[in-house]
Amino acid sequence: MRRCRGICDPEAPLTTPGLPLSGEETTDRLLHRQPPPPDKGGLGGLNYCTDTFVAIHPDPTMSYQFDFTFVPDYAGMLAQGVAYTVGLTVVGGTLGIGIGIAGAISRLWNVRPFGELYRYYVELFRNTPFLVQLFLIFFGLPSLGIKLEAWQAAILAMVLNLGAYSTEIIRAGLQATPRGQLEAADSLAFTRWQIFLHVMLRPALRKVWPALSSQVVITMLGSSVCSQISTEELTFVANFIQSRNFRAFETYFLTTGMYFALALLIRQAMHFIGRYLIVRRPSR
Amino acid sequence: MMSFSLWDIVRNLLIGGALTLLLSLVAFVLGGATGLLVLLARIGKWRAPRALAQMHIELFQGTPLLLQLFTLFFGLSLFGLDVPAWLAAGLGLTLFTSAFLAEIWRGCVEAVPRGQWEASSCLAMTYWEQMRHVILPQAMRLSIAPTVGFAVQVVKGTAVTSIIGFAELTKTGSMIANATYQPFLVYSLVALGYFILCYPLSHYAQSLERKLHAAR
């Protein structure tokens, strides 16, 4: 509340800005205030808002009333934020798993020079925080002459991050291919490509799909820090809303709930994709 | 204009790095203790604590750490508490860690063969005696590798606390990058700092895992 007054009530300062008031004093002064000055455009409206807020909550520390009435006004923005987050996750997930498959092959068959490169890449990205990777890409790369928009940087960071994790996950799956299966496929005169696709990759993905799904969900949740480079995803929208209505707790509480729902949804979607694209046996 | 030598940058980053290390340790230790309680509630016989523990785990695994921190940071101040960033950071990371560790450890407890439970109950051990002398020691052996692996996640998680204003490694890095106009250098050093903290842990976790599998 103190902050409120400092920001939107410059005309009628109740006390020296920055000097704390005791609870009683605040209540006392606020309750015996002059009616709000007539609207002079701009700040006047805000003034009035602040006064209504104060009238309802004479002392916010004693009686905070939750107020979710702002939700309908921002429903469109929130929906856009959700769409952005989902978009980031879909693109990041698809390309990330693609990089993971390529990486797992290079590591497993030691394709030069990619096998070695992938090893460094995986260790580097798995042992540094996503936020730092994001900052390095968005703030750091321009000094090397590579300028990226916020959304491009966010997608690049997500793809690289998920790529590193899925490389390791998929490699574990590929390594678990029983030797006998390979020999059996060989004796059935499968081509190298057929062996890889049907005997190695598909069963491997089937084995590691739950782990891969969790990693995609973790990456989706991690994408909330993309708001820090002004990617307009869900958390960015939440930050925007709470800076408008000063209802920080309600806004973040609601957004947290939305992320929770999104996590469940994406897990279900991954389950569905796994069931129909990966696990499905080839038609006979 | 003020100029910064490389040593100035590194020196300040080291201070931030020390705070990152401290926060990670606090979160890991307190989170481990809380996680043990959550674990006991989660695998216990009573229904209400079990449901609560499950909710705790689902909630903290299913929402972004950043929003947990925001909600704590702004939520606690509704009760009239003045929450400094370090407190919100420590509390948030502790809860986050406890949820993940409880779930990891539950997997380990369930990996202990059923016969062990039956044998120990044949010896007329009470539930707590079974836990204390038979199940937890065996589960603990299984849990070391994934727990060390998760420690890496905790260290990386501390980076997010920079957003609510806790001046650890990433926050220090941002401030220095803004002051020196050398974001690539500074963020590379920050990444290097995290790598130095995390790589030994993940390497150790891997070697532990290999050892455990070899023993089987």
Side-chain angles (χ1 to χ4, degrees), chain A residues 96-97 99-101 103-104 118 121-130 133 157-173 208 211-212 214-216 218-219, chain B residues 149-150 152-154 156-157 198 202:
Chain A
I97 291 177
I99 286 191
I101 293 174
Y118 258 108
Y121 155 70
V122 166
E123 292 298 346
L124 219 59
F125 275 77
R126 292 206 324 163
N127 288 306
T128 50
F130 180 61
Q133 293 161 14
M158 281 182 79
V159 167
L160 289 177
N161 191 277
L162 187 62
Y165 280 96
S166 52
T167 297
E168 280 302 281
I169 294 174
I170 295 171
R171 190 168 70 101
V208 299
L212 218 48
S214 301
Q215 198 56 49
V216 170
I218 289 173
T219 311
Chain B
F150 183 72
V152 178
Q153 306 294 326
V154 177
K156 292 195 300 178
C198 292
S202 53

Side-chain angles (χ1 to χ4, degrees), chain A residues 141-188:
Chain A
L141 284 190
S143 50
L144 298 186
I146 307 168
K147 287 202 181 72
L148 293 173
E149 299 281 321
W151 65 271
Q152 292 167 331
I155 284 185
L156 185 61
M158 281 182 79
V159 167
L160 289 177
N161 191 277
L162 187 62
Y165 280 96
S166 52
T167 297
E168 280 302 281
I169 294 174
I170 295 171
R171 190 168 70 101
L174 286 177
Q175 265 175 343
T177 312
R179 224 187 142 62
Q181 297 253 314
L182 296 178
E183 285 160 3
D186 238 353
S187 65
L188 288 172

